[in-house]
Amino acid sequence: MTIQNNFSLKNYNTFGIDAKAKQFVAVHSTQDLKTILQQNQSEPKFILGGGSNMLLTQDVQALVIHIDLRGKKVVKEDADFVWVESQAGENWHEFVLWTISQDFGGLENMSLIPGNVGTTPVQNIGAYGTEIKDTFVSCDAMNIASQELKTFSKEECNFGYRESVFKHDVKDQFIITSVIFKLTKRNHKINISYGDIIKELEKHSSSAPTLKEISNAVIAIRKSKLPDPKDLGNSGSFFKNPIISKVHYEKIQVLHPEMPHYIISETEVKVPAGWLIERAGFKGKRFGDAGIHKNQALVLVNYGNATGQEILNVSKDIQATVLQQFGIAIEAEVNVI
Ligand SMILES: Cc1cc2nc3c(=O)[nH]c(=O)nc-3n(C[C@H](O)[C@H](O)[C@H](O)COP(=O)(O)OP(=O)(O)OC[C@H]3O[C@@H](n4cnc5c(N)ncnc54)[C@H](O)[C@@H]3O)c2cc1C
């Protein structure tokens, strides 16, 4: 393990921001992780997975620990289900493709989400009607202060919409080292009602789609809608979809009857942040090298040499305008560092 000083993180975050880490080290085993933590007790630490959910607005004055623990295996099975454990540093999409190649069902709708397996519980990642909490069993995490491993059950993770205990009660206290998922071996619970999956599957006339066909459909839809960070720096959806009260929604609806919405409960309604941002006039706008994607108002982009601060300024401008026009506060999904 080599600790590097003044290390550029440009290739380690999908926004492509050229911020520097005071120190950087990649760890490949839990023993390495333990050693690094023990040897650097007094240093501030920053945990880095795939860098696909962060906006670096400044240099990171910390020891950046890049989690690169690898390996995946079946740890238990019965006639219907299989329990699969993956180490935190495995690439999520490659892991999903591997489960599909084994005909294990449950993760196919979350194909092509960037990042690492170990980060998936942090914000309970989700797409196309599925979230990690639907198949999550537990995760192991190392306590940064004591270096002890603790197993977090699903209940302890306290998952919500892009939320978990790792963003709140135990924030910055634990490093997730592995995750266990319970997947189906047969009678897969196919979920194709969301978004354009059915439309995409129809192109290939699949009446009883396989896991692979669903995954391919999701990949095709995502590729057609979202910019690839390799071509255009971004972090996916920059904001969460706000949840507002039904009373508030009804007031806005008088002025904007066409506003899309999803009923969450008798008293709450979720509104697409992308629609609000588009209506506020930001879609496709560019401010120097920072901007809003031309097809996806929810995605902020780096056209080349934007700084994290410039992208943050654009995001604040969007938040203020949406608040002024609709009375709705939209919250960043991306971790602003
Ligand atoms: C093009 C694009 C599309 C996306 N689409 C989706 C989507 O559909 N659904 C969705 O939910 N997300 C989506 N995202 C966001 C992102 O892919 C997920 O949030 C992903 O889980 C982040 O993983 P990462 O390893 O890159 O995390 P990082 O960006 O490296 O880290 C994110 C946060 O977690 C912390 N962290 C990292 N690793 C660990 C660990 N092992 N233990 C504890 N804390 C850790 C970091 O300190 C940081 O605060 C998208 C991103 C992009 C760029």
Side-chain angles (χ1 to χ4, degrees):
M1 273 182 299
T2 327
I3 295 185
Q4 291 167 271
N5 294 318
N6 202 27
F7 184 89
S8 171
L9 296 171
K10 190 170 167 57
N11 296 327
Y12 288 81
N13 71 97
T14 58
F15 260 123
I17 304 291
D18 192 11
K20 305 269 186 306
K22 183 181 168 211
Q23 292 184 303
F24 175 94
V25 66
V27 293
H28 308 291
S29 69
T30 45
Q31 186 51 52
D32 277 0
L33 183 56
K34 197 172 177 178
T35 307
I36 278 291
L37 292 175
Q38 280 169 343
Q39 288 174 350
N40 296 275
Q41 305 242 12
S42 57
E43 281 293 323
K45 289 153 202 93
F46 179 79
I47 310 309
L48 176 69
S52 66
N53 199 21
M54 57 176 66
L55 176 64
L56 299 168
T57 61
Q58 54 191 321
D59 289 342
V60 185
Q61 298 299 336
L63 168 61
V64 172
I65 305 178
H66 177 45
I67 305 302
D68 198 20
L69 315 176
R70 298 303 181 118
K72 51 188 178 292
K73 61 177 188 237
V74 170
V75 287
K76 183 174 143 184
E77 60 187 308
D78 62 19
D80 297 311
F81 297 101
V82 61
W83 284 252
V84 180
E85 180 180 48
S86 169
Q87 296 301 303
E90 287 290 331
N91 174 271
W92 170 254
H93 179 56
E94 283 166 21
F95 174 66
V96 172
L97 291 184
W98 175 78
T99 62
I100 292 167
S101 73
Q102 308 294 307
D103 202 29
F104 300 156
L107 306 181
E108 56 283 352
N109 287 34
M110 290 181 284
S111 298
L112 211 62
I113 297 181
N116 290 357
V117 173
T119 326
T120 60
V122 175
Q123 74 154 11
N124 178 30
I125 65 161
Y128 296 96
T130 315
E131 288 179 320
I132 214 66
K133 71 169 171 49
D134 303 331
T135 45
F136 178 95
V137 175
S138 64
C139 65
D140 281 355
M142 191 175 285
N143 184 315
I144 293 177
S146 68
Q147 294 89 51
E148 278 163 15
L149 276 177
K150 169 176 163 54
T151 301
F152 284 80
S153 67
K154 186 167 163 171
E155 290 67 35
E156 284 173 301
C157 287
N158 204 9
F159 290 125
Y161 165 56
R162 302 292 175 270
E163 291 292 356
S164 78
V165 72
F166 299 104
K167 288 176 84 173
H168 296 280
D169 296 6
V170 300
K171 187 174 163 52
D172 299 331
Q173 291 173 36
F174 283 90
I175 300 171
I176 299 166
T177 55
S178 62
V179 188
I180 297 180
F181 301 94
K182 182 183 173 188
L183 305 175
T184 48
K185 281 169 68 176
R186 57 184 186 182
N187 302 325
H188 300 308
K189 293 189 200 82
I190 300 293
N191 177 2
I192 53 173
S193 57
Y194 211 87
D196 296 334
I197 301 185
I198 292 183
K199 229 191 277 169
E200 184 63 34
L201 285 167
E202 276 167 3
K203 286 189 197 161
H204 310 281
S205 63
S206 293
S207 53
T210 61
L211 300 175
K212 184 73 186 152
E213 284 169 336
I214 295 170
S215 169
N216 284 344
V218 169
I219 291 170
I221 298 166
R222 292 184 68 100
K223 281 190 171 165
S224 72
K225 289 191 167 169
L226 287 168
D228 184 339
K230 285 195 201 98
D231 305 326
L232 192 60
N234 76 90
S235 208
S237 304
F238 195 91
F239 300 101
K240 290 194 216 174
N241 292 318
I243 296 171
I244 59 173
S245 73
K246 205 163 168 227
V247 176
H248 188 175
Y249 166 71
E250 282 164 357
K251 276 189 197 154
I252 302 173
Q253 207 199 15
V254 176
L255 293 172
H256 304 279
E258 73 292 7
M259 180 165 86
H261 64 283
Y262 313 99
I263 309 279
I264 299 282
S265 68
E266 278 188 8
T267 54
E268 286 180 319
V269 175
K270 194 193 262 186
V271 180
W275 186 87
L276 297 168
I277 297 166
E278 188 173 345
R279 282 303 163 112
F282 282 97
K283 191 172 175 182
K285 274 204 169 170
R286 186 171 170 166
F287 306 86
D289 265 359
I292 299 96
H293 192 251
K294 61 180 186 338
N295 301 329
Q296 283 295 331
L298 203 47
V299 177
L300 302 197
V301 293
N302 176 5
Y303 284 102
N305 292 314
T307 63
Q309 193 58 52
E310 283 164 347
I311 293 170
L312 181 65
N313 290 344
V314 172
S315 81
K316 285 184 174 164
D317 203 5
I318 292 172
Q319 282 171 317
T321 311
V322 168
L323 183 63
Q324 193 200 8
Q325 288 192 10
F326 299 95
I328 297 178
I330 52 172
E331 196 188 320
E333 175 181 315
V334 169
N335 298 282
V336 176
I337 312 296

